[in-house]
């Protein structure tokens, strides 16, 4: 398998964690006999410094010529004086738009070794392994009309519009159904169908597709009770399908299941080229100190293999290597708790995952040889 991966490391801890992620991808390529090529380009603050813009056209072109885009993080306090459209973060919003992905995937996994890190009790998080599929290009964030009349209607009036077409729901729902088929075959669709017409369309559309996926069990949850169920019995959920706003809120809420922002990967698929990025930002407070947790970026690399390479086995091997390193007690500062103190740097954590991956491949190969 050949994969051309555009790497946009960005600002702050972006380059530190992205380096570890690309090392793991390189290792997966070598172990599996694949050919991955990496091309680097600028985004965010580093792009402003070099080119005067947070997203140079050369970066866009390179991304569009690639099979996948791996992004670190953007954001640098030294550009806080600029207007929002000129800041590093504008580059991120623009690249998401250029690539056009409509399905945002965010896994929330409870690692047994990190059970003390979540504010939820270990018996609550135990066994949780959820994949959020959030619609990303429609709904309240994009619907027209939208405005804020600061003088209108006695001191101010504002409008946003939640709007969905059936086609927009169909395309993201199909992604969720197909992912559920590859997982535990349960799909929970979230809406507010007792109040909103948009949600009634959403629910009817999801129901109309059920026949195409007879092996998937479908349930509907209202968003308010879903917020509660996720914190009470997260292990009850497999793939969770949501519209834009509900997914924004629920996927952040579910981040607490894993216990650290530094552990969370994401992917945005369905557009011209898939975009992969850890959920965290550029963390200027720890940039350059070796304290950044690279596991979110490494788990993001696993998503590149799964969703752009179709390399499920390799993706699972990386995820297992991460779990193994955590089981062995290795911790960056953000996931250190109680008796398990911070004992590794960003680079050391990356190397440990690399080692665990190599060991699992060796074991696998010798099993085959027997
Ligand atoms: P942040 O995610 O950068 O950091 C929040 C807190 O989590 C900080 O204390 C940080 O040290 C910690 N943290 C984050 N990632 C970590 C990791 N991998 N390992 C260990 N600790 C980690 O969010 P913020 O502080 O609100 O924003 C900082 C900058 O990042 C801002 O400029 C913001 O606009 C930008 N940002 C970018 C993205 C992105 O690129 N996708 C996302 C969010 C924020």
């Amino acid at each position: 398998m050949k994969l051309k991966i555009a790497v946009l490391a960005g600002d702050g801890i972006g380059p530190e964690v992205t380096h570890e992620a690309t090392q793991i991808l390189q290792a997966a390529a070598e172990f599996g006999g694949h050919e991955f090529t990496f091309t680097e380009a600028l985004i965010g603050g580093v792009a402003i410094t070099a080119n005067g813009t947070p997203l140079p056209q050369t970066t866009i072109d390179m991304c569009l010529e690639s099979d996948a885009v791996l992004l670190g993080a953007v954001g640098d306090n030294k550009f806080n004086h600029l207007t929002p459209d000129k800041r590093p973060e504008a580059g991120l919003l623009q690249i998401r738009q250029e690539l056009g992905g409509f399905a945002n995937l965010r896994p929330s996994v409870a690692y047994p070794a990190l059970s003390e890190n979540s504010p939820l009790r270990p018996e609550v998080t135990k066994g949780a392994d959820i994949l959020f599929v959030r619609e990303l290009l429609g709904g309240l964030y994009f619907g027209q009309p939208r405005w804020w009349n600061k003088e209108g209607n006695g001191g101010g009036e504002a409008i946003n519009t939640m709007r969905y077409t059936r086609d927009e729901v169909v395309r993201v729902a199909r992604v969720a159904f197909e992912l559920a088929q590859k997982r535990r075959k349960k799909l929970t669709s979230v809406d507010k169908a007792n109040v909103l017409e948009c949600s009634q369309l959403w629910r009817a559309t999801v129901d109309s597709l059920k026949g195409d996926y007879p092996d998937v069990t479908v349930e509907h949850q209202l968003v308010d009770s879903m917020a509660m169920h996720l914190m009470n019995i997260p292990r009850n959920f497999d793939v969770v399908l949501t519209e834009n706003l509900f997914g924004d809120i629920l996927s952040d809420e579910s981040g607490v299941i894993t216990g650290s922002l530094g552990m969370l990967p994401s992917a945005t698929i369905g557009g011209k080229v898939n975009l992969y990025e850890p959920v965290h930002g550029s963390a200027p407070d720890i940039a350059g100190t070796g304290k950044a947790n690279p596991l979110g970026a490494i788990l993001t690399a696993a998503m590149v293999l799964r969703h752009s390479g179709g390399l499920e086995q390799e993706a699972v091997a990386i995820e297992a290597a991460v779990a193994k390193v955590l089981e062995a007690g290795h911790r960056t500062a953000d996931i250190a708790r109680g008796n398990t103190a911070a004992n590794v740097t960003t680079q050391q954590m990356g190397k440990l995952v690399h080692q665990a991956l190599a060991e699992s491949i060796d074991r696998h190969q010798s099993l085959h040889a027997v």
Side-chain angles (χ1 to χ4, degrees):
M1 149 73 58
K2 286 188 180 179
L3 268 186
K4 195 172 166 198
I5 303 169
V7 180
L8 315 184
D11 304 316
I13 64 168
E16 301 167 38
V17 297
T18 307
H19 176 73
E20 301 312 319
T22 52
Q23 294 289 107
I24 294 296
L25 283 171
Q26 192 59 54
E30 280 161 26
F31 296 142
H34 308 297
E35 195 183 317
F36 299 166
T37 50
F38 301 92
T39 40
E40 295 181 10
L42 298 177
I43 191 169
V46 286
I48 299 176
T49 304
N51 297 75
T53 164
L55 187 67
Q57 187 60 42
T58 47
T59 298
I60 300 173
D61 293 342
M62 200 193 77
C63 290
L64 290 173
E65 286 161 15
S66 303
D67 301 311
V69 178
L70 176 64
L71 193 142
V74 298
D76 185 332
N77 292 337
K78 81 175 182 223
F79 298 109
N80 284 355
H81 64 282
L82 299 176
T83 53
D85 58 317
K86 303 237 166 8
R87 280 190 207 161
E89 291 81 354
L92 181 61
L93 299 181
Q94 199 191 336
I95 193 67
R96 286 177 182 160
Q97 255 168 13
E98 295 281 350
L99 300 180
F102 59 81
N104 181 233
L105 314 186
R106 260 182 66 174
S108 263
V109 176
Y111 291 91
L114 295 184
S115 63
E116 296 297 329
N117 290 60
S118 171
L120 299 174
R121 290 196 309 278
E123 65 266 31
V124 173
T125 57
K126 191 173 176 201
D129 178 358
I130 306 171
L131 179 62
F132 281 88
V133 179
R134 167 190 169 197
E135 200 290 324
L136 207 59
L137 295 184
L140 208 49
Y141 293 3
F142 293 95
Q144 294 289 342
R146 58 183 301 159
W147 44 257
W148 177 15
N149 178 354
K150 293 186 182 164
E151 272 77 51
N153 225 354
E157 187 180 10
I159 280 189
N160 289 99
T161 304
M162 186 186 273
R163 169 177 285 143
Y164 271 106
T165 64
R166 182 183 145 79
D167 284 352
E168 284 171 332
V169 183
V170 166
R171 65 182 187 175
V172 72
R174 286 205 185 280
V175 168
F177 271 109
E178 283 162 23
L179 288 168
Q181 282 183 316
K182 293 181 190 147
R183 290 173 47 104
R184 301 191 306 280
K185 300 183 173 42
K186 181 174 175 189
L187 177 63
T188 303
S189 175
V190 178
D191 61 43
K192 187 71 182 164
N194 53 343
V195 180
L196 302 175
E197 282 76 8
C198 256
S199 284
Q200 289 155 14
L201 166 75
W202 186 277
R203 191 176 282 215
T205 305
V206 171
D207 277 338
S208 74
L209 300 175
K210 283 197 291 198
D212 293 347
Y213 308 91
D215 52 337
V216 176
T217 305
V218 177
E219 68 170 13
H220 299 280
Q221 288 285 352
L222 295 173
V223 61
D224 39 358
S225 50
M226 184 65 182
M228 211 168 53
H229 294 319
L230 277 171
M231 296 296 100
N232 277 331
I233 356 170
R235 73 179 143 273
N236 273 4
F237 302 102
D238 177 15
V239 174
V240 175
L241 169 67
T242 73
E243 62 88 55
N244 203 344
L245 169 68
F246 299 160
D248 193 2
I249 297 168
L250 294 181
S251 61
D252 261 24
E253 183 197 16
S254 300
V256 306
I257 292 168
T258 307
S260 169
L261 192 51
M263 291 291 304
L264 303 175
S266 84
T268 303
I269 69 172
K272 295 176 200 149
V273 182
N274 294 345
L275 174 66
Y276 299 87
E277 43 182 331
V279 170
H280 63 75
S282 59
D285 52 333
I286 56 166
T289 64
K291 285 189 184 159
N293 184 348
L295 296 181
I298 288 172
L299 292 165
T300 301
M303 295 187 86
V304 172
L305 298 185
R306 174 172 291 126
H307 300 289
S308 284
L311 299 171
E312 178 64 22
Q313 213 179 330
E314 282 83 346
V316 169
I318 293 174
E319 289 159 354
V322 167
K324 192 175 164 198
V325 166
L326 293 172
E327 288 296 335
H330 302 295
R331 299 285 186 273
T332 44
D334 60 310
I335 48 174
R337 285 287 178 286
N339 292 333
T340 324
N343 49 17
V344 294
T345 62
T346 311
Q347 273 195 349
Q348 287 166 336
M349 186 61 108
K351 286 209 171 71
L352 285 160
V353 176
H354 187 289
Q355 223 173 330
L357 185 63
E359 282 163 14
S360 81
I361 306 279
D362 274 353
R363 223 177 21 253
H364 191 71
Q365 282 168 347
S366 50
L367 277 178
H368 275 280
V370 170

